[in-house]
Amino acid sequence: MASSIEVSAKVLSAVTSSEWASRGIRGFLVGPANVQSPDDIQVTGVWHMELIDGNELKEDINACLSHFPCGNRVVGLVFLPSSNCSKSKSEADPACLAEEFAEQNGSGAQWLERLGLSQAAVLCLWRPGKSSEDAASMDSSVFLVSPESFALATITDTPRGKPPIRMRLKGNIPLTISTESKGEEALRAELDHELTRLQRHLQAGDLVYGLESNTVLIQSGGSVAAAPGLSWRTCGELYKNLGDVATGNKGKLGKAQTQPRLPVSILLRASTEANSENQYAPIIRHQTGSFQSVRVSLPMDILVDVEESVPMFDLYNSLSDAVLRQVNTLFSCLNVFTKNNKLLSPEVFHFHPSVLDSPVTIVYPRGLSDDELEEERKILHKHLCLPMDRPLLRRGASGLFLSSSAPGGYLLNTHLGLSDPPVKGGTVSTVVGYYSYHHYMQDKFDDDKWGCAYRSLQTLISWFRYQGYTDRNIPTHREIQKALVEIGDKEEKFVGSRQWIGSFEVSFVLDHLLGVTSKFISVNSGSELSSTGQQLAHHFQTQGTPVMIGGGVLAHTILGVSYSELTGDISFLILDPHYTGGEDLRTIHDKGWCGWKDMNFWNQTAHYNMCLPQRPACV
Amino acid sequence: MGRSIIADESVQKYIEKLAKENKWFIGVIIGQLTSQRDYVVHLARTPDPVEDEVSEENGEEDGGDGVVNVRQKSVVERPASLEELDEKWVSTHAKQVSRMLPGGLSVVGLFAIAPPAMLKAAQTKLRQMMSSVYKQLSKTSLTSPAAEITDRILLQMDTSTKKLTCVTVDIADFKSAPRPAEWKFQSGGSKWVRLNSNINLDIPITVPQDSKAQSLLKQIQVGLADFGSWIQTSVVTVGGAVRAGSEPLVAQGEKKGKGKGSAASQDECTSFDVGIFLPFVTSEVPQDPVVGQSQATINMVGTSVVRAFVSARATVADAIEAVKTDVLRSIMARCELLCEEFDVAEVTQGRSEVYDPPVRLFCRLPHTAVQVCDYVFQDEKTEEVKGRIQELLDIQVEELEEAEKSAADDDTWSQPSLPGVVSSQSQVAELTEKKSSVRAYLGAAVGGAVAAIAAGISYIYLNE
């Protein structure tokens, strides 16, 4: 019987549409560490890298895993066979493939040993034959490697059963680095020294993880210090129990929001067992001279996704492994970006690009601009098999998936949670990525009856900001007006006025402030909007940006379209900037301020212009 | 309502003994203040400033030591009355006693025993004394808990009527009137719970170029402030559990022989191992590195024994507070003693020195279940330590429990050859790999320490 391996559709699509330079083992497959059935392989992430030889495998794996939530492990490899082993040949006779695999990199069994796995997935990629229509993407097959065999496996994409328990571990580890000489060497030596110190603490089990405002401490060996009488064997039991404790607020949070991540803190165990051999009373080292002292902190921030069945013992070890990996990453960032004897604080960012199944974590040095980090991002895009034409890992795009609102309290992606559009057999195409809802009366600014296009423009700009295309703030009405004066579209007196703007002004501002060009769709009457289905669907599929539409005296934002080519039925996902109420998602949904609208929504006789922003190709 | 103070029977005997001597006495009250009631375990008279025997020793052994000479000059006669007392004399005693107390116990007040007329005349003086004692004590403490009790006890006995008068003084507000308090003796002594731990210290301190702190002690004290507040935020487990602060430390059912007051109960002392966990705080705002120029780096590394005693009626929060106090008090005590003994100001620029502060030992406070501690330098003899304990606490002790091992104890103790090497626990051990000149340095310094201790009574003048 052919075994099956669960590979997420997103990962498969990312892997096959990515560029792979040469043959051989070219990357890791990442998936949840399933302790209950370790042979059950799920692939939820990929890490493309050159594996020169096995010597640095451990570091390579750690570098890979440091970008994925704690609770993941390497579950397999990406392999590019030579032309001798074609897809059809390999699938028919995996032994040939196994042989080639073994020739280059050691047998499957050897790899299993290196990776510490009993079974592993090997995702093979082939360049498409000339006959293939979609030349951009590669052919793939998955094989299951066990110590005895190398067998073709079927790929499934069945969603996982129970969602993992999500946690977020945070804590700033302070460092004081004093160097006597000015040289960079001394600074690096001190950094190494501090790193060693932390590594020792980790090895000694000195770090402890605190839950529920530190009333529950997970200690080395998985023992839990909590209120007397409480004990847990697995994460599931722990979570359930803590859930019970925290029920006070649970009801109010409701189900609409994503499951919040359980905050976890890091503590240093200062107390120690009595009188071990190397224990001495405190001494004081005193050194005088002229030092440069730098105080910097390691802003630990780790996402944790663990299965309910994970025993506490394993949880402690996974957390400590993840902490060690991040400590190493942060130090490496400190080291790499130390120039002219100056340290840049490392900062941790979490991203969840819609093209990936799992969040990814990146460390960037604080103080370098997104432009200066372009090369870094290119490398990371490559590692993560992300498309090279869109900025998925810019700082501005980070963290939004962890909160329900954008900075400033604006609601994010208000269309999530709406019921399906009423179009039979229609294809739904919507905005890709994050935007915030901007509407009348926000920011303590009364723009009722005149500011709708400004608000729609703000939503458009929010998309560019939250996708990382820009780090500029979302402009106020005044800033928008100033921009229009700057480009000569309006006269000076326009600034501070309550004059309306339309689709063209929106595009001018996008161009002037963000360098974003726009396409237009114009219709002579609202009734003609029914013909725009295909164009809009194409826009959302290829660009994914929100669209501003102006007609008559009203402006709206279009977030998506549901269109049936067969029947011509169409429905528009509208975000209405005329809303004057508070940031209450329920009202916004119930009253239709964000919702699917049919053709009756439009003024059948008004002329409409749509502004469709085109995203620049960049990383 | 005034405070209610419960003193052990042995305290009563001590007072009676002093009252018989027909002299005036001043001294410190040792005990524990709690929100419910206060417990007094011991009184220690402030030693007389002069004793011939000791002066002789000074002369013989330390003729060449400038410090001791100064000390000799400062030796004064015992004043004829309380009113003529030098406040410093008492506050120095209080400071030294305070160092000798484990967490939970502290100098909770002063007592005076004198004839009625002298007492009456000395009322203002006694208030001033309270003030200077608590100013002195707060000077060297690293942090004070927010909800600290600010009342302190002033107990007086009139030698003619043998009548005890007890008031409390608010040290946060010396202008306020003393409030009467209820002082009771309790036979059999109070029951205590002992809390044990060991804490690994690795505290880096940098002394900024523009630091106003002149002395090493001051520099350490300023530098320890961050660590002090970190300890205050620590999570303390009691018996391996994280317990609610308001819970009683010992459940009612677990208390035994309550009210019986049998002699045996003194020996019984429930004890808990405590764990100390320092949380790494998080900040939402990213921080840039803070770069500064410093004139010195100081690093305190090693393991300190932690011990605290709280009343059997204490809450978990009381116990935790006592543990934190012990950690900080012990660190400061070591640094103070070190700096008092070594003339560290003479360290030349660019030099690196490793000092070993005195190590901690404990002994039982007679007639009680609690212990007191002392810090002992290398080469100090047991008899000298006992002598000092007798001098400062007015008790005879038999057994000394050496709770810590000195890094310098190892005869391979050495100075690290590279800067920045000493900063982790295991590296203290590494220090001991090679012999070097520090040994000699320490030897010389210890000689001075011995002399100082031999100085006995005048010892307490050292700190002026």
Side-chain angles (χ1 to χ4, degrees):
Chain A
M1 195 200 85
S3 26
S4 72
I5 292 173
E6 189 188 318
V7 183
S8 102
K10 284 178 177 175
V11 168
L12 199 59
S13 148
V15 169
T16 52
S17 51
S18 187
E19 251 181 65
W20 298 85
S22 50
R23 301 203 171 84
I25 293 181
R26 283 291 169 262
F28 297 121
L29 299 173
V30 175
N34 192 334
V35 286
Q36 224 166 29
S37 43
D39 288 348
D40 186 7
I41 299 174
Q42 293 174 319
V43 179
T44 53
V46 64
W47 184 255
H48 177 179
M49 76 180 304
E50 303 289 306
L51 289 164
I52 310 294
D53 55 42
N55 292 339
E56 284 168 5
L57 187 67
K58 215 175 161 161
E59 283 102 278
D60 288 344
I61 289 175
N62 280 329
C64 157
L65 290 180
S66 73
H67 294 88
F68 293 91
C70 166
N72 282 291
R73 60 171 181 177
V74 168
V75 296
L77 301 162
V78 179
F79 180 57
L80 282 87
S82 76
S83 49
N84 293 334
C85 290
S86 68
K87 181 167 153 67
S88 52
K89 191 174 161 193
S90 302
E91 286 177 355
D93 178 19
C96 138
L97 190 69
E99 210 169 285
E100 189 177 301
F101 181 86
E103 261 171 35
Q104 292 186 21
N105 308 288
S107 71
Q110 281 172 312
W111 271 98
L112 288 176
E113 203 185 316
R114 281 178 214 158
L115 297 171
L117 298 172
S118 55
Q119 292 194 76
V122 171
L123 178 62
C124 292
L125 297 174
W126 290 274
R127 252 161 266 287
K130 277 172 192 148
S131 60
S132 174
E133 275 179 37
D134 188 1
S137 91
M138 297 179 89
D139 290 333
S140 63
S141 284
V142 171
F143 295 82
L144 183 70
V145 182
S146 67
E148 305 82 32
S149 70
F150 201 108
L152 181 65
T154 53
I155 295 177
T156 61
D157 183 25
T158 45
R160 309 160 66 168
K162 274 204 161 173
I165 294 172
R166 297 181 203 281
M167 309 188 212
R168 185 174 184 184
L169 181 138
K170 287 182 91 170
N172 285 4
I173 301 179
L175 302 176
T176 304
I177 296 154
S178 294
T179 47
E180 197 160 12
S181 57
K182 294 269 178 209
E184 220 163 278
E185 229 164 88
L187 189 62
R188 286 184 201 281
E190 267 306 300
L191 277 175
D192 279 352
H193 172 67
E194 288 291 315
L195 175 61
T196 314
R197 211 167 69 111
L198 270 173
Q199 286 169 337
R200 279 189 194 168
H201 274 310
L202 275 157
Q203 276 155 14
D206 287 344
L207 292 197
V208 164
Y209 308 104
L211 289 152
E212 293 292 302
S213 313
N214 293 335
T215 55
V216 175
L217 303 180
I218 303 169
Q219 295 172 276
S220 171
S223 74
V224 179
L230 293 179
S231 69
W232 304 279
R233 277 168 301 142
T234 64
C235 294
E237 287 177 24
L238 171 83
Y239 191 73
K240 191 169 173 290
N241 210 312
L242 295 186
D244 290 346
V245 174
T247 33
N249 292 328
K250 279 239 160 135
K252 281 184 191 168
L253 281 172
K255 287 170 194 161
Q257 302 303 334
T258 47
Q259 183 190 10
R261 284 184 177 263
L262 212 57
V264 182
S265 60
I266 315 174
L267 299 93
L268 177 67
R269 187 191 63 193
S271 51
T272 167
E273 298 296 313
N275 291 317
S276 70
E277 258 310 293
N278 286 340
Q279 231 170 57
Y280 295 104
I283 55 159
I284 291 173
R285 214 183 100 86
H286 183 217
Q287 215 183 345
T288 52
S290 177
F291 303 90
Q292 182 187 269
S293 299
V294 187
R295 287 158 74 113
V296 62
S297 69
L298 302 179
M300 304 295 295
D301 184 352
I302 296 170
L303 300 181
V304 185
D305 288 349
V306 287
E307 303 291 328
E308 289 193 352
S309 57
V310 169
M312 297 307 289
F313 173 79
D314 286 340
L315 175 64
Y316 181 85
N317 288 343
S318 326
L319 290 175
S320 289
D321 288 350
V323 167
L324 180 59
R325 282 195 291 265
Q326 190 162 78
V327 163
N328 285 333
T329 311
L330 292 167
F331 267 97
S332 132
C333 179
L334 274 170
N335 250 316
V336 169
F337 294 98
T338 294
K339 298 227 166 72
N340 307 323
N341 211 21
K342 211 179 146 221
L343 289 178
L344 296 179
S345 293
E347 257 188 293
V348 179
F349 297 90
H350 304 295
F351 299 87
H352 198 163
S354 51
V355 295
L356 291 183
D357 246 0
S358 154
V360 294
T361 300
I362 315 276
V363 173
Y364 288 127
R366 186 169 154 73
L368 290 190
S369 70
D370 276 341
D371 286 347
E372 288 169 293
L373 290 169
E374 192 183 348
E375 276 312 305
E376 296 294 311
R377 286 197 305 276
K378 278 185 177 161
I379 293 166
L380 286 164
H381 271 245
K382 198 146 195 243
H383 278 312
L384 291 160
C385 298
L386 295 173
M388 301 302 277
D389 65 343
R390 60 190 76 180
L392 298 169
L393 303 176
R394 290 201 194 180
R395 288 179 276 214
S398 75
L400 292 167
F401 69 98
L402 293 168
S403 67
S404 56
S405 63
Y410 307 104
L411 292 176
L412 277 174
N413 290 26
T414 39
H415 69 285
L416 295 178
L418 283 174
S419 40
D420 291 339
V423 175
K424 276 182 198 149
T427 310
V428 180
S429 313
T430 57
V431 158
V432 179
Y434 290 96
Y435 62 88
S436 49
Y437 183 17
H438 295 263
H439 56 77
Y440 279 167
M441 307 301 287
Q442 278 177 334
D443 321 305
K444 293 180 185 144
F445 186 72
D446 183 355
D447 57 343
D448 197 357
K449 309 246 180 336
W450 64 275
C452 53
Y454 292 85
R455 297 296 186 180
S456 180
L457 172 57
Q458 286 178 334
T459 293
L460 264 49
I461 291 177
S462 79
W463 187 91
F464 284 94
R465 178 172 168 80
Y466 300 144
Q467 266 45 249
Y469 286 91
T470 178
D471 54 9
R472 70 150 298 139
N473 285 324
I474 293 161
T476 60
H477 295 56
R478 199 180 176 85
E479 284 165 339
I480 292 168
Q481 291 169 333
K482 269 193 179 156
L484 288 167
V485 171
E486 275 163 27
I487 59 167
D489 181 64
K490 294 279 188 290
E491 284 174 33
E492 203 59 60
K493 64 178 181 196
F494 180 64
V495 178
S497 75
R498 299 183 146 218
Q499 286 187 45
W500 302 355
I501 57 171
S503 311
F504 293 105
E505 283 90 344
V506 165
S507 78
F508 296 157
V509 174
L510 284 171
D511 190 15
H512 183 60
L513 295 183
L514 307 182
V516 166
T517 58
S518 301
K519 283 186 179 167
F520 288 91
I521 300 176
S522 299
V523 291
N524 286 322
S525 71
S527 55
E528 281 179 40
L529 280 166
S530 61
S531 65
T532 59
Q534 208 159 16
Q535 280 170 287
L536 278 175
H538 181 75
H539 168 81
F540 286 116
Q541 284 157 19
T542 58
Q543 299 294 325
T545 63
V547 170
M548 181 266 175
I549 181 166
V553 295
L554 300 176
H556 289 95
T557 311
I558 303 180
L559 298 172
V561 67
S562 174
Y563 175 64
S564 165
E565 281 190 50
L566 207 66
T567 62
D569 280 353
I570 189 165
S571 187
F572 302 87
L573 181 53
I574 299 297
L575 186 65
D576 195 336
H578 304 93
Y579 174 57
T580 54
E583 309 306 300
D584 177 28
L585 192 62
R586 202 172 167 160
T587 310
I588 290 160
H589 280 185
D590 289 355
K591 304 281 179 196
W593 294 108
C594 177
W596 290 97
K597 309 286 177 186
D598 60 19
M599 282 301 296
N600 294 326
F601 181 74
W602 309 109
N603 180 340
Q604 302 300 312
T605 56
H607 178 94
Y608 279 96
N609 280 319
M610 280 188 239
C611 170
L612 293 73
Q614 307 293 299
R615 54 179 176 78
C618 59
V619 164
Chain B
M1 207 189 80
R3 301 192 74 84
S4 169
I5 301 144
I6 296 174
D8 283 4
E9 214 175 7
S10 56
V11 173
Q12 187 171 15
K13 287 182 183 141
Y14 183 75
I15 295 175
E16 282 162 5
K17 190 189 92 187
L18 292 184
K20 273 182 207 147
E21 286 193 36
N22 234 347
K23 285 202 290 188
W24 62 264
F25 290 102
I26 181 109
V28 295
I29 304 173
I30 296 165
Q32 184 161 74
L33 303 171
T34 77
S35 51
Q36 300 295 317
R37 70 202 68 201
D38 302 336
Y39 301 91
V40 170
V41 289
H42 187 63
L43 263 52
R45 66 180 187 112
T46 301
D48 292 347
V50 181
E51 258 174 43
D52 290 341
E53 191 190 331
V54 172
S55 301
E56 275 168 33
E57 268 185 38
N58 276 349
E60 278 168 25
E61 291 187 25
D62 302 293
D65 189 323
V67 181
V68 175
N69 282 338
V70 172
R71 230 184 288 141
Q72 264 183 313
K73 278 177 205 158
S74 69
V75 169
V76 290
E77 293 293 319
R78 177 188 166 93
S81 76
L82 275 173
E83 223 180 334
E84 291 161 42
L85 259 179
D86 182 357
E87 285 158 29
K88 264 192 180 154
W89 185 49
V90 181
S91 61
T92 303
H93 179 229
K95 183 171 99 175
Q96 288 170 332
V97 167
S98 178
R99 284 176 195 157
M100 299 172 93
L101 302 177
L105 296 180
S106 53
V107 173
V108 293
L110 298 179
F111 74 92
I113 297 173
M118 193 197 290
L119 265 189
K120 202 177 174 198
Q123 287 307 304
T124 313
K125 185 76 187 176
L126 286 170
R127 294 279 302 280
Q128 281 168 3
M129 211 114 63
M130 292 286 277
S131 158
S132 80
V133 161
Y134 286 99
K135 260 183 206 148
Q136 172 71 268
L137 289 180
S138 68
K139 222 188 277 177
T140 48
S141 85
L142 278 174
T143 48
S144 52
E148 202 192 16
I149 296 165
T150 55
D151 284 334
R152 294 294 181 274
I153 302 163
L154 179 57
L155 180 73
Q156 300 174 59
M157 181 184 250
D158 159 354
T159 47
S160 61
T161 62
K162 304 277 190 283
K163 194 174 166 278
L164 282 171
T165 320
C166 184
V167 294
T168 56
V169 176
D170 186 353
I171 55 162
D173 179 15
F174 274 105
K175 284 181 192 130
S176 67
R179 294 196 305 159
E182 182 195 21
W183 177 284
K184 271 193 305 200
F185 289 107
Q186 177 183 285
S187 62
S190 330
K191 280 177 211 61
W192 295 88
V193 178
R194 174 170 148 176
L195 302 149
N196 301 309
S197 193
N198 291 277
I199 186 167
N200 278 336
L201 302 173
D202 184 355
I203 312 167
I205 295 169
T206 54
V207 184
Q209 204 74 63
D210 55 359
S211 168
K212 290 194 181 77
Q214 293 294 318
S215 67
L216 177 63
L217 180 62
K218 197 74 202 156
Q219 290 174 352
I220 292 175
Q221 203 181 340
V222 170
L224 282 173
D226 282 350
F227 180 78
S229 24
W230 202 17
I231 282 285
Q232 292 298 349
T233 64
S234 64
V235 176
V236 177
T237 58
V238 179
V242 182
R243 297 177 55 186
S246 55
E247 274 177 32
L249 181 62
V250 182
Q252 292 299 315
E254 289 172 47
K255 272 186 224 163
K256 46 196 166 178
K258 194 188 162 200
K260 284 254 178 80
S262 65
S265 71
Q266 283 176 10
D267 297 336
E268 284 169 18
C269 191
T270 314
S271 103
F272 288 106
D273 284 336
V274 298
I276 303 165
F277 301 89
L278 298 166
F280 292 112
V281 294
T282 56
S283 71
E284 290 307 315
V285 190
Q287 288 153 340
D288 282 321
V290 180
V291 184
Q293 297 299 317
S294 23
Q295 46 172 298
T297 62
I298 301 164
N299 200 357
M300 189 169 195
V301 191
T303 308
S304 165
V305 62
V306 179
R307 212 167 278 183
F309 292 85
V310 289
S311 145
R313 289 161 173 265
T315 61
V316 170
D318 292 335
I320 289 174
E321 197 54 56
V323 167
K324 291 174 179 175
T325 304
D326 190 68
V327 171
L328 298 178
R329 191 193 276 163
S330 177
I331 291 174
M332 270 320 286
R334 290 163 206 262
C335 297
E336 280 169 32
L337 290 165
L338 177 82
C339 294
E340 283 164 11
E341 298 303 328
F342 295 125
D343 195 1
V344 283
E346 281 177 18
V347 171
T348 45
Q349 277 289 305
R351 281 282 308 275
S352 165
E353 295 286 0
V354 178
Y355 304 111
D356 67 327
V359 302
R360 198 173 192 187
L361 52 76
F362 289 88
C363 61
R364 170 92 170 267
L365 184 65
H367 315 294
T368 69
V370 302
Q371 295 179 318
V372 289
C373 67
D374 196 12
Y375 296 89
V376 52
F377 282 96
Q378 283 313 102
D379 306 4
E380 254 188 297
K381 294 190 190 80
T382 311
E383 288 315 307
E384 290 159 352
V385 178
K386 285 182 179 173
R388 179 171 43 197
I389 293 171
Q390 181 174 9
E391 196 58 54
L392 292 171
L393 294 178
D394 206 8
I395 54 171
Q396 296 267 7
V397 294
E398 300 299 324
E399 273 178 56
L400 298 178
E401 178 202 345
E402 287 173 29
E404 291 178 342
K405 187 162 65 168
S406 166
D409 215 5
D410 200 312
D411 60 9
T412 53
W413 159 262
S414 80
Q415 181 180 13
S417 49
L418 285 167
V421 172
V422 193
S423 59
S424 90
Q425 185 54 23
S426 53
Q427 282 169 331
V428 179
E430 283 167 25
L431 276 180
T432 62
E433 273 164 21
K434 281 175 286 173
K435 278 208 178 217
S436 99
S437 58
V438 172
R439 181 66 185 162
Y441 168 76
L442 284 168
V446 165
V450 174
I453 286 140
I457 294 311
S458 41
Y459 175 76
I460 65 164
Y461 270 88
L462 193 67
N463 307 305
E464 287 186 22

